Amino acid sequence: MGLRKEREEQMKKRSWVIALCIALLTVLLPAGQVEAQQVEEEEKKKSGKRAIDVARESGYQLDDRYQPAGSIITEIHTGQILWEENKDVSWAPASMTKLMTILLAYDAMEEGKFEKDMQVAVNEKYTDIAGRYALSNNVMQMGATYTVGELIDLIIVPSSAAATYMLADLVEPDPDKFVALMNQKAKEIGMTHTTYYNCVGVTNDLLYPYAPKNLPADADNVTSPQDYALLCSYFVKTYPDILTHTSSPEIVVKEGTPYEEHFKSYQISLEGAKYGLKGTDGLKTGSSGRAGFNYSSTAKRQDTRLVEIVMGVSDWTDQTGEELRHLVGNAIMEQAFEKYEYRKVLPKGTHQIGKEKIVTKKDLWDCVPKEEKIKFKMEDGKVFVDLERQYLPGYAAPSVTYQQKQIVSEAKSGLGAIGKGILAVLLAGGAALVGRIAYVDAVRKKRRRRRRRRK
């Protein structure tokens, strides 16, 4: 019994010592470890930032209802994603739909079907659409005509549904066939989350009797932020002329005629507009009861052009969302410009990359972090920036082909060795020949001397 009690006492002492050690370790954690934990927590918070959080850090005191349902920022040349939040969320584009309508018109002009200065007459259909309160519009009057260029201005700035139909009818007057063209083009661009049901961006019932006949009356166009980043990037790269129609914060249409109208753009991130952001020169807004407030934007600073899509800010009952969406969008766009730039990262010529020397015949341009040292990677005969990045579908890291300098040098040195070998042989042969001649000459001289002595 005494031995058992003694063991129990020892166990109690050990338990007490272990508990004390744990307590001391907890209290006396190294300062570096505590700091590391704090940094890790901060990084988690940082990585979890929402667009609204970035806007607040920029000084905008905004309620959570102005947090977008989805947003994305991409660099136009590379398709690199610089910011994204719910980029694949399914959402109604509302009047941003009209960008696809305009794109199809540009395609038709490229094919020679009509020109931008072609005049289009107003008819009863267009005056009927223009008179509908539920649609964004301008005043359309019988007797007026508009050039294709003026129609594009009216679609972009006041978002005229009547002008949209006037342009769409030039491309394809059958609304069902026109929608088929829209969806075909979306597929061509890579917009896998997009389905169009009309050319305007409202439910089909609001367009009766001009809506597609073979599609549901309550159907509304659907897309995603990533899909519209693809569309806007494609549009600006393929037809940069669109920026001449999207860059003005105010326009005058039919100036000096009885049909003159003045409009201010709803895209108030444009330079010169209410919340103008440096370099912003397009594209278009869109809002509806289902969509809330959306907008697409593009801005250029030096060689860097970014495309931004913001969707689902607030709702239709809160009309302040129409303006405040731009504060959120401006904040994340400014952040992207501060962090990234599109520039020449590797000029053509000879370079040392790791242990190898390479030769490139073209400059390598890429969108890279401003404060990060650039490293390169070589693979399959191409050199590119070694960074983990996200891209829009169909895009990849830019690269240029290269040749290994070492191989070229070895080839040259090989030829040099052969040349030296030949030269050595020739010199040796020459020396031997000279020696032989000298020897023969010496022998002949000896023989002559002997002959003289005998005489």
Side-chain angles (χ1 to χ4, degrees):
M1 291 292 291
L3 184 60
R4 185 180 293 177
K5 283 185 179 180
E6 188 178 341
R7 286 178 178 174
E8 287 176 356
E9 288 296 325
Q10 286 177 350
M11 290 296 292
K12 285 180 182 178
K13 286 179 181 179
R14 285 177 185 173
S15 300
W16 181 83
V17 170
I18 291 168
L20 179 61
C21 288
I22 291 170
L24 285 170
L25 285 170
T26 305
V27 173
L28 300 174
L29 270 174
Q33 186 174 341
V34 174
E35 187 176 327
Q37 288 176 346
Q38 290 173 344
V39 169
E40 187 177 347
E41 288 173 4
E42 287 299 318
E43 286 300 314
K44 283 181 181 178
K45 288 180 183 177
K46 194 181 291 185
S47 64
K49 278 182 185 175
R50 303 168 300 164
I52 194 74
D53 299 323
V54 177
R56 287 166 180 165
E57 288 176 2
S58 301
Y60 305 126
Q61 300 305 312
L62 299 173
D63 190 82
D64 261 8
R65 67 179 179 274
Y66 300 110
Q67 162 64 21
S71 59
I72 191 170
I73 297 175
T74 63
E75 194 280 318
I76 197 166
H77 298 96
T78 62
Q80 185 182 162
I81 298 172
L82 309 181
W83 164 276
E84 67 92 1
E85 191 175 17
N86 299 328
K87 63 183 172 66
D88 292 321
V89 66
S90 183
W91 209 257
S95 286
M96 289 202 305
T97 294
K98 295 163 185 168
L99 286 173
M100 179 58 85
T101 301
I102 300 171
L103 176 58
L104 291 177
Y106 267 91
D107 280 350
M109 287 188 281
E110 183 71 13
E111 293 165 9
K113 291 183 179 178
F114 53 86
E115 296 181 354
K116 203 154 71 161
D117 60 358
M118 177 182 173
Q119 296 283 341
V120 185
V122 176
N123 60 27
E124 290 182 0
K125 172 183 175 180
Y126 307 136
T127 58
D128 178 18
I129 295 170
R132 300 189 182 193
Y133 178 77
L135 306 176
S136 298
N137 269 307
N138 67 307
V139 177
M140 289 288 184
Q141 300 180 52
M142 295 294 290
T145 60
Y146 293 86
T147 66
V148 169
E150 288 171 330
L151 291 177
I152 294 172
D153 288 336
L154 286 168
I155 296 168
I156 292 292
V157 183
S159 201
S160 170
T164 303
Y165 263 100
M166 290 173 76
L167 191 63
D169 287 350
L170 279 181
V171 178
E172 172 52 67
D174 184 317
D176 287 273
K177 290 180 180 178
F178 187 84
V179 168
L181 290 175
M182 295 176 79
N183 287 313
Q184 181 182 324
K185 190 68 179 182
K187 185 177 180 180
E188 176 190 321
I189 294 170
M191 300 167 69
T192 56
H193 293 78
T194 298
T195 304
Y196 290 108
Y197 295 97
N198 62 63
C199 65
V200 174
V202 295
T203 51
N204 277 338
D205 58 322
L206 295 176
L207 301 173
Y208 181 82
Y210 314 114
K213 293 178 174 57
N214 299 316
L215 295 173
D218 63 347
D220 197 1
N221 302 329
V222 63
T223 189
S224 70
Q226 177 167 274
D227 274 12
Y228 254 69
L230 279 166
L231 171 61
C232 293
S233 297
Y234 175 88
F235 203 156
V236 174
K237 286 195 299 181
T238 309
Y239 302 113
D241 177 75
I242 186 61
L243 298 176
T244 65
H245 297 279
T246 64
S247 58
S248 299
E250 296 183 38
I251 64 167
V252 180
V253 182
K254 308 304 295 180
E255 187 172 9
T257 73
Y259 313 111
E260 181 176 317
E261 291 182 279
H262 296 245
F263 300 100
K264 285 188 176 182
S265 178
Y266 295 111
Q267 217 292 38
I268 57 175
S269 288
L270 293 170
E271 277 198 308
K274 184 173 182 178
Y275 294 132
L277 183 72
K278 181 182 175 183
T280 304
D281 52 5
L283 295 161
K284 181 156 180 24
T285 62
S287 55
S288 70
R290 290 188 181 183
F293 297 95
N294 310 328
Y295 84 100
S296 56
S297 188
T298 183
K300 185 179 181 183
R301 298 182 188 176
Q302 296 181 333
D303 293 312
T304 307
R305 177 175 286 283
L306 305 184
V307 168
E308 173 184 55
I309 310 297
V310 174
M311 305 190 86
V313 173
S314 195
D315 62 62
W316 194 248
T317 62
D318 174 24
Q319 288 293 303
T320 58
E322 186 172 73
E323 288 195 356
L324 297 186
R325 63 187 165 187
H326 294 274
L327 296 183
V328 179
N330 285 357
I332 57 175
M333 186 74 114
E334 187 63 50
Q335 176 182 264
F337 272 117
E338 287 173 2
K339 289 184 176 181
Y340 300 93
E341 63 181 345
Y342 180 72
R343 63 178 175 86
K344 187 194 298 182
V345 293
L346 193 70
K348 61 183 178 182
T350 302
H351 305 279
Q352 181 81 41
I353 297 179
K355 295 181 179 179
E356 295 190 60
K357 276 191 176 181
I358 65 167
V359 179
T360 59
K361 293 184 178 180
K362 290 183 179 180
D363 297 328
L364 175 59
W365 286 74
D366 202 346
C367 180
V368 293
K370 289 182 179 179
E371 304 300 325
E372 194 168 325
K373 186 178 179 181
I374 304 302
K375 295 181 180 179
F376 297 96
K377 188 174 181 180
M378 296 182 295
E379 199 172 272
D380 299 327
K382 295 179 180 180
V383 59
F384 50 92
V385 175
D386 187 12
L387 278 175
E388 288 293 327
R389 298 177 282 182
Q390 280 188 294
Y391 293 91
L392 291 173
Y395 289 83
S399 63
V400 292
T401 56
Y402 71 87
Q403 287 183 320
Q404 287 181 316
K405 183 74 172 176
Q406 190 177 0
I407 294 172
V408 176
S409 299
E410 284 175 359
K412 286 182 178 177
S413 63
L415 288 171
I418 293 169
K420 286 176 182 177
I422 293 169
L423 181 60
V425 170
L426 289 173
L427 288 172
L433 181 62
V434 170
R436 179 64 178 169
I437 292 170
Y439 173 78
V440 171
D441 189 53
V443 169
R444 285 176 178 174
K445 283 181 179 179
K446 272 186 180 182
R447 287 176 180 173
R448 287 193 196 112
R449 287 194 200 105
R450 286 174 185 169
R451 284 174 188 166
R452 286 173 186 166
R453 287 173 188 170
R454 287 175 186 171
K455 289 178 180 179

